[in-house]
Amino acid sequence: MRIARSIREYQWALVGALALTALVLGQVGFELLPPRDGELSFSDSLYRSLQLFVLESGGTPPPTPWQLDVARALAPLVAVYAAVGAVLALFREQLQRLRIRLFARDHVVVAGLGAKGFQLARAFREAGLRVVVIERDEQNPLVRSCRERHIPVLAGDASDERLLARARADRARHLVATCGDDGVNAQVALAARLVPRRRSGALTAFVHLDDLDLWRLLGAEELGRAERDDLRLEFFNVTDAAARVMLEEHPFEHDAGSPHVMLVGLEELGRRMLLHVAARWREASAAGERRLRVTVLGPEAGREIDALVRCHPELADLCEIEARTVGPAVGDLDPVRAPSAGAAPSVAYVTLPRETDALAAALALRTNRDLGLARVVVAVQDEQDGIATALRASVGAREGVAAFGVLSRTLTPELLLRGTGEVLARAKHEQYVHAERLKGRTPEENPSMRPWEQLPDVLKESNRRFADGIGPKLAAAGLVIVPDPLADPATAVAALSEEEVEELARLEHDRWCRDLERDGWRRTSGAKDPERRLHPQLVTWAELSEEERDKDRDPMRELPGMLARVGFELYRSARDGRR
């Protein structure tokens, strides 16, 4: 791969060297020919050597010097290669558009070629999916990097629906907006709604938002939207995703005798880490009996913690937080001592914004004998590059220091596709499997009980449509969704009355019937026939048996808990007045 990339990078220098070689060998070869009508002058030999590139050097009687034979073969090849390259460069844009028009189907459109966009474009391409990139700046050096990976790049404004149409967003599977500006990213998604779909199924648009508050609010707004179309809109935030994945890959020991966690830095990533640590602790079996000890180090740790607790009062119930104010210099971490009472921290998460500060802090904490930290996890941009390389060279993972790549570990197709809608769809499937097991059924009897990864696409899509229909049902029932990263799934399940469950279940059945009828299914009095698209349950709610009604009631009872697991909570509308 590296050899091929190097050849592409220096190909024209190589072509020039080969052309010069052919010219010199031709010159030497002509001068070595036996004289016929007098010896050739230097200029005559040079002229005939130049004619080799266009196959016009004239015939020569044998014996022919080997230099001339090589030049005769090499010169035309160089000329043809250069001519083809020039034509391709001249018509690159037209050829690229033709390639997209003919072959772009079920592909991924990436709008914006910054660090995030390039990381995702490369990751989707390496996963075997076709990718089309839209980038405003034609001089962006990452454009060349994409083309080296055979990823076509269209120049222009991704918020222009005409350019999205040229990228064949109408036939795409996913759209990713990473233009570096929250407003522009939102405009890209709105423009995608204006492109008529030519592919069956919805287009899922993943829109990155840097503003964490805006990300949560728009996520709740989209999830609770009363009207649906062929665009599934997923908002994502790298900072929150990094905190979640960092904790998944480097968890703290919540089942220890006296768990204790340390956080260094309370900027955006540090704040999200604290919220995810608290949520993870609540999920632990012992969370209701005691609070998790958390030590936070930072220049203004006390003020930051007070502000965070005001926004999320549940933090004080879940965690016993000790804020230690330390200066920004690495030397300020050296005198940090273990607590006089209780266990020392078992792990420290370093989330400082500057990687050099993060590396120095990790080394200082790891070598602090008084703390005796077993593990230090430090957040960097890419765990395979830059500071992370120096970290491995200095101490290495063997000595308890691990680097976590914020971009390299979170900007992956697997994690991006695991958005809010997908999590809710999986939760719906898990609820169905659990209900079927309670009835004594097995996957052998009911193939729909298979794990999510083994489900056919049609059943996955059915669960995704359930998630799509959450907003319209809640709006009709007078319920609204609000963001709450510390919402408790255990208590949320009691949020709905039986009357509300019944109403939501009826609305869900109506939604299910409409979707099947739109897909060409018809009612039958016989058994279900997928090949002929016949289903006996395509009837009104009043005509359903109680057993069939329970299939809609059960997920509605679990809906508040499902929403809590993705950081949202249900409230009744203002006209009701109850929570």
Side-chain angles (χ1 to χ4, degrees):
M1 183 70 176
R2 290 182 178 178
I3 295 176
R5 192 174 301 170
S6 298
I7 292 175
R8 286 194 296 268
E9 185 174 353
Y10 298 105
Q11 61 177 328
W12 291 112
L14 181 60
V15 169
L18 291 175
L20 182 60
T21 301
L23 186 64
V24 171
L25 289 175
Q27 174 82 19
V28 172
F30 280 118
E31 290 183 353
L32 292 176
L33 283 175
R36 288 190 297 174
D37 300 322
E39 292 188 2
L40 290 174
S41 66
F42 176 83
S43 59
D44 289 337
S45 299
L46 179 61
Y47 177 74
R48 295 187 67 179
S49 297
L50 290 172
Q51 286 184 309
L52 291 174
F53 290 93
V54 291
L55 300 175
E56 291 290 340
S57 63
T60 56
T64 306
W66 67 266
Q67 293 91 337
L68 185 56
D69 287 334
V70 173
R72 279 176 168 174
L74 183 59
L77 290 176
V78 171
V80 170
Y81 184 88
V84 171
V87 170
L88 290 177
L90 185 62
F91 295 102
R92 173 183 291 168
E93 187 70 21
Q94 290 80 357
L95 291 172
Q96 182 173 256
R97 290 184 183 182
L98 180 62
R99 174 185 167 194
I100 294 172
R101 176 179 291 275
L102 294 178
F103 302 111
R105 286 178 176 81
D106 283 340
H107 58 294
V108 181
V109 178
V110 177
L113 201 56
K116 299 181 183 70
F118 178 71
Q119 175 76 20
L120 285 168
R122 180 177 61 183
F124 273 112
R125 187 72 183 90
E126 291 174 352
L129 292 174
R130 293 184 183 274
V131 179
V132 176
V133 170
I134 300 175
E135 167 59 24
R136 182 189 295 271
D137 181 11
E138 295 185 66
Q139 304 305 315
N140 186 336
L142 292 175
V143 170
R144 181 175 181 178
S145 298
C146 281
R147 287 173 174 158
E148 288 175 351
R149 291 169 172 81
H150 305 290
I151 300 174
V153 181
L154 297 177
D157 183 1
S159 63
D160 183 350
E161 64 269 22
R162 294 169 297 181
L163 187 56
L164 287 173
R166 286 207 297 271
R168 300 320 305 255
D170 57 329
R171 298 189 305 204
R173 183 184 303 180
H174 305 301
L175 168 67
V176 183
T178 55
C179 297
D181 181 272
D182 290 355
V184 174
N185 288 340
Q187 289 173 8
V188 172
L190 293 176
R193 277 204 163 100
L194 302 177
V195 180
R197 292 290 288 164
R198 299 181 186 272
R199 172 187 179 271
S200 60
L203 169 68
T204 303
F206 299 94
V207 178
H208 182 263
L209 297 175
D210 282 314
D211 190 308
L212 281 162
D213 293 331
L214 183 63
W215 165 64
R216 298 305 300 178
L217 290 171
L218 288 183
E221 179 71 20
E222 179 63 22
L223 190 56
R225 197 161 62 92
E227 297 180 359
R228 289 292 166 184
D229 50 30
D230 288 332
L231 179 71
R232 288 191 179 118
L233 194 53
E234 291 274 7
F235 296 100
F236 73 102
N237 176 273
V238 167
T239 302
D240 183 81
R244 172 168 50 84
V245 177
M246 189 174 178
L247 199 56
E248 288 176 357
E249 296 187 358
H250 303 279
F252 62 93
E253 298 177 0
H254 56 73
D255 55 351
S258 181
H260 189 177
V261 173
M262 177 176 283
L263 293 176
V264 181
L266 211 62
E267 287 76 19
E268 284 190 350
L269 180 56
R271 290 194 293 270
R272 300 310 299 182
M273 277 296 298
L274 181 54
L275 291 174
H276 280 283
V277 164
R280 180 65 61 91
W281 174 247
R282 187 194 52 221
E283 295 171 5
S285 58
E289 303 173 6
R290 52 186 174 163
R291 293 188 297 169
L292 173 69
R293 296 191 64 195
V294 180
T295 298
V296 179
L297 306 181
E300 298 183 6
R303 186 180 64 82
E304 294 282 358
I305 290 297
D306 289 342
L308 199 59
V309 171
R310 282 196 299 271
C311 293
H312 306 283
E314 305 96 322
L315 267 178
D317 299 327
L318 293 167
C319 301
E320 179 186 342
I321 305 174
E322 178 187 2
R324 297 192 188 183
T325 301
V326 297
V330 175
D332 297 324
L333 294 174
D334 292 334
V336 173
R337 296 289 179 259
S340 56
S346 60
V347 60
Y349 300 103
V350 182
T351 61
L352 296 172
R354 290 181 55 188
E355 290 191 357
T356 52
D357 293 342
L359 171 61
L363 296 176
L365 290 172
R366 186 66 185 91
T367 55
N368 187 321
R369 295 184 178 180
D370 187 69
L371 283 175
L373 281 165
R375 290 183 298 139
V376 178
V377 184
V378 55
V380 296
Q381 183 167 325
D382 189 336
E383 60 192 12
Q384 300 298 328
D385 194 16
I387 292 297
T389 305
L391 180 63
R392 287 194 300 272
S394 299
V395 287
R398 293 177 303 170
E399 298 185 36
V401 179
F404 174 83
V406 171
L407 296 185
S408 56
R409 297 297 302 135
T410 59
L411 292 177
T412 65
E414 296 78 14
L415 288 175
L416 186 68
L417 299 180
R418 206 173 74 186
T420 300
E422 193 75 359
V423 172
L424 291 171
R426 289 178 180 236
K428 166 63 168 62
H429 175 65
E430 291 170 4
Q431 178 275 322
Y432 171 79
V433 172
H434 178 70
E436 289 295 287
R437 283 176 178 162
L438 291 178
K439 297 174 184 176
R441 299 192 176 113
T442 65
E444 289 72 24
E445 298 172 325
N446 182 0
S448 298
M449 295 174 62
R450 286 179 289 182
W452 177 267
E453 291 75 15
Q454 299 176 18
L455 281 182
D457 288 341
V458 64
L459 292 182
K460 288 182 179 179
E461 184 63 19
S462 177
N463 287 296
R464 291 178 184 129
R465 287 180 175 180
F466 164 83
D468 292 341
I470 288 175
K473 287 191 291 288
L474 295 179
L479 297 164
V480 295
I481 298 174
V482 296
D484 186 354
L486 293 179
D488 189 352
T491 59
V493 293
L496 297 177
S497 67
E498 282 303 308
E499 291 79 9
E500 289 169 327
V501 168
E502 190 73 9
E503 174 67 8
L504 291 172
R506 182 186 63 78
L507 292 170
E508 169 59 16
H509 176 70
D510 292 345
R511 190 277 311 165
W512 178 82
C513 288
R514 287 194 302 271
D515 282 347
L516 258 66
E517 289 169 352
R518 186 178 62 178
D519 291 342
W521 287 73
R522 292 173 291 122
R523 177 180 177 177
T524 180
S525 57
K528 177 181 175 181
D529 187 344
E531 292 187 3
R532 299 171 60 195
R533 298 196 175 189
L534 300 175
H535 205 297
Q537 306 306 330
L538 277 173
V539 297
T540 64
W541 178 257
E543 296 174 274
L544 283 177
S545 66
E546 285 300 308
E547 181 181 359
E548 291 298 328
R549 290 183 184 183
D550 282 339
K551 291 182 180 179
D552 292 313
R553 290 169 179 150
D554 290 343
M556 292 303 103
R557 291 190 181 100
E558 297 294 328
L559 181 58
M562 296 180 191
L563 292 172
R565 281 196 287 274
V566 291
F568 296 102
E569 194 171 11
L570 278 180
Y571 277 76
R572 292 175 178 85
S573 60
R575 65 176 181 272
D576 188 296
R578 297 175 298 158
R579 177 173 174 173

